Amino acid sequence: METAIALLDSSGEGALTFKALSERLETGAGAIYWHIDNKNDLLIAACDAVVARPLGALPEKAVPEAAIRALALDMFDAIDAHPWVGATLARAAGQLPTVRILERIGQQIRALGVPDHAQWAAVSALLSYILGVSGQNAANAQLARVRNLDRSDFLGEMSSAWSRLDPVEYPFTQSVAAQLPDHDDRADFLAGIDFILSGIIASRSC
């Protein structure tokens, strides 16, 4: 798994083949097939190995809100460091890497005292936000790399494009254009988590 992860990190999903992996491991492809049936299973297993690391590091007795925030940030950082993980999780609905995240969030939502009938909606909202925003952030970073732009150049281009929009048709987008170059993706992500948690906590008595 570590070799597969290194290959994915360095060259992307397209480079992950049994041939490439066997060459790095200096073994025959048959030895890999003994453990993994196909590339999709290999990709999901590598994704699961990445996901399991931050989930295993969370303090067991943390206050639920703090545990959810820590989990969310750890997943954001993991997907930022391994951009292919976001796309893999999107295709692995119902499989172990996604279920690991679902279970950990669900345990904390229960610990918050959310009523049974509202637990799934709360967990689903958090899971969708964490995976969606983290995946989009990683995709944006990947796009910038493909275009040979660093983050400031990438956001500078976007800011310039937004500032030229019609202020009548796009009043909000144009008004925030100047904020793009200096905004903190991680801080914005965590602010969204806090918004969702505030709503979940406020609705517990409903």
Side-chain angles (χ1 to χ4, degrees):
M1 286 305 100
E2 293 303 321
T3 303
I5 290 167
L7 184 60
L8 286 159
D9 288 347
S10 64
S11 304
E13 185 180 331
L16 181 64
T17 64
F18 278 65
K19 179 181 179 181
L21 187 58
S22 63
E23 288 175 352
R24 287 208 178 190
L25 292 171
E26 298 182 354
T27 186
I32 302 173
Y33 278 112
W34 180 260
H35 300 282
I36 300 288
D37 289 335
N38 53 60
K39 177 180 175 177
N40 186 62
D41 288 351
L42 177 60
L43 188 59
I44 291 176
C47 177
D48 188 50
V50 171
V51 167
R53 294 169 184 168
L55 295 184
L58 288 175
E60 293 184 3
K61 296 184 179 180
V63 174
E65 296 97 314
I68 289 171
R69 292 171 96 253
L71 180 153
L73 281 176
D74 283 344
M75 289 308 307
F76 182 88
D77 291 340
I79 293 174
D80 185 53
H82 309 279
W84 53 273
V85 167
T88 304
L89 285 170
R91 299 198 302 267
Q95 299 188 57
L96 193 54
T98 307
V99 172
R100 284 188 194 277
I101 307 168
L102 178 78
E103 179 62 30
R104 184 58 68 93
I105 296 172
Q107 290 177 13
Q108 301 306 321
I109 288 298
R110 282 186 168 182
L112 272 175
V114 175
D116 290 351
H117 71 272
Q119 288 177 6
W120 169 251
V123 173
S124 180
L126 283 165
L127 180 66
S128 297
Y129 178 84
I130 291 169
L131 299 188
V133 175
S134 299
Q136 186 61 58
N137 177 73
N140 289 342
Q142 182 65 23
L143 177 61
R145 282 192 290 271
V146 169
R147 295 171 58 185
N148 293 317
L149 295 172
D150 63 23
R151 183 178 184 277
S152 61
D153 290 337
F154 179 72
L155 292 177
E157 282 193 3
M158 189 181 298
S159 175
S160 296
W162 285 13
S163 66
R164 294 192 297 271
L165 292 172
D166 183 343
V168 175
E169 190 172 1
Y170 301 98
F172 173 78
T173 304
Q174 194 195 53
S175 72
V176 298
Q179 299 176 30
L180 277 179
D182 299 319
H183 87 280
D184 186 321
D185 294 318
R186 206 167 180 266
D188 289 349
F189 170 77
L190 189 56
I193 291 291
D194 289 339
F195 282 133
I196 297 172
L197 282 174
S198 294
I200 291 171
I201 293 168
S203 67
R204 281 182 298 188
S205 60
C206 299

